[in-house]
Amino acid sequence: MLTVILPAVFKRELGVWHCHCCNKSGTVIDLVMATQGFQPPIEAVNYLAEKYGIDQSSYQLSEIFYNEEEKEYVYIDLEGTPVHKTIRKVDKSFSQMRYVNGRWEWGLKDTKLVLYNLPAVFKAKKSDETIFVVEGEKDAETLTRIGLAATTNTLGAGKWKNALIGGNVVIIPDNDLTGEQHAKHIAEELYNKVRSLKLLELPGLSVKGDVTDWLSQDGSKEELLDLAEKCLPYNSEMINKHIIINNGDFFPTPLAKDLIIKEN
């Protein structure tokens, strides 16, 4: 269901909103924090509980609502065991923790990094479903809520790409230079390693916008799947670059010879 409260749009099934005046998006909690001036999220939650007659003793909140941390994203292995997590704070900064001997410790050290939503990635690959690669955990969560397999590699290290080998991958960049460069870097690393590879630029996306913003405005799951289906396969920029060598160098294969421009 789409609710329009001019100048904002609110999507109930996603629990997100978008303001066309300030071009910002978020959850109900974010909206209350912004309009009422609350800082710790718990203040916004308690405000809503009091406003709508909800007994505050009837619900239990994660500890992140009581301090400076806005959200934590836990990365798990194929068995569902925590490996590491990213903590997104109110000021938009990030911290990392690793899971060691049943408890969380600060920093990653020699932790073997995994893809976000790793079990869902393998399940989608096994059933030939599309795997969406986005720039951050927030966007991966947004797509997961509407029933799509989504992951991210924001840490950019380790052998994360091995988990995607053989899958049908669609990369969705954020609409800025950093997002474009990040998406192309992933595409080049996955080129010829996955069953299908596409880089999907969302139409009508605002500057610095992401797939969460796109869905909170006018986009839908059905439209996203349709765009992914119609998107052309990714064409590697590195493969298409000519290699210049000197005359007389050895050409190992006809294909290599066709790709080379010889200097006179």
Side-chain angles (χ1 to χ4, degrees), residues 87-150:
I87 303 169
R88 180 180 183 273
K89 298 185 178 181
V90 174
D91 62 3
K92 310 302 180 183
S93 63
F94 292 84
S95 297
Q96 310 292 340
M97 298 188 76
R98 66 190 185 279
Y99 196 67
V100 182
N101 298 324
R103 65 174 185 172
W104 291 103
E105 296 183 3
W106 289 106
L108 295 176
K109 290 191 175 181
D110 298 325
T111 303
K112 183 178 179 180
L113 305 179
V114 297
L115 276 177
Y116 193 62
N117 287 338
L118 185 62
V121 168
F122 270 80
K123 182 179 179 180
K125 188 166 64 171
K126 186 176 181 180
S127 59
D128 289 331
E129 295 178 18
T130 299
I131 302 168
F132 290 90
V133 177
V134 291
E135 193 166 332
E137 296 96 346
K138 179 197 71 174
D139 293 332
E141 288 291 302
T142 295
L143 295 183
T144 298
R145 283 197 295 270
I146 60 175
L148 299 176

Side-chain angles (χ1 to χ4, degrees), residues 190-263:
L190 293 178
Y191 191 71
N192 281 340
K193 296 182 179 69
V194 294
R195 177 172 296 182
S196 66
L197 179 62
K198 298 180 178 181
L199 199 161
L200 175 60
E201 295 182 354
L202 297 172
L205 189 60
S206 58
V207 177
K208 296 187 179 297
D210 52 38
V211 67
T212 299
D213 298 324
W214 185 81
L215 285 167
S216 68
Q217 296 175 59
D218 300 313
S220 67
K221 174 183 177 180
E222 292 72 25
E223 184 180 359
L224 181 60
L225 290 173
D226 184 60
L227 289 170
E229 178 68 24
K230 294 177 180 177
C231 182
L232 296 176
Y234 179 75
N235 195 12
S236 173
E237 294 181 354
M238 298 302 295
I239 294 297
N240 290 329
K241 288 182 178 178
H242 291 295
I243 303 171
I244 301 177
I245 67 172
N246 294 321
N247 280 331
D249 285 357
F250 175 66
F251 298 103
T253 67
L255 177 59
K257 186 174 181 179
D258 291 339
L259 291 175
I260 294 172
I261 301 175
K262 293 195 286 185
E263 291 182 343

